Amino acid sequence: MRRSHRNSLPLDIYHWTSHENMGLQAVDTFSWGIFRKYEKKDYEWFSVFKGNVRHDTIYLPEK
């Protein structure tokens, strides 16, 4: 799918599975580590990359 922004900047959207794109695999792994931290209180994988996290807050906290 290809679209243009109102300022004519191209935007390409690709629908890949993670085994087709190594960058997507990295993002999946990183996101999984954050999910495990908040949903399962499992800090093991997050602790591997926590030094690279710049901002760590819950976007929509429960009330």
Side-chain angles (χ1 to χ4, degrees):
M1 172 185 265
R2 186 171 182 98
R3 296 205 174 188
S4 293
H5 186 268
R6 60 188 162 132
N7 294 330
S8 299
L9 297 174
L11 172 63
D12 296 327
I13 299 174
Y14 301 97
H15 299 276
W16 288 331
T17 59
S18 61
H19 71 273
E20 295 173 303
N21 185 298
M22 291 181 71
L24 185 55
Q25 288 180 12
V27 171
D28 280 348
T29 302
F30 184 80
S31 299
W32 177 79
I34 293 172
F35 168 80
R36 295 290 298 179
K37 174 186 175 186
Y38 287 106
E39 294 294 322
K40 304 293 184 181
K41 306 295 187 237
D42 177 2
Y43 297 86
E44 183 176 1
W45 184 247
F46 182 81
S47 67
V48 172
F49 57 81
K50 69 181 177 183
N52 296 314
V53 176
R54 293 184 184 183
H55 186 73
D56 184 21
T57 59
I58 297 176
Y59 179 65
L60 297 172
E62 294 182 34
K63 294 182 179 185

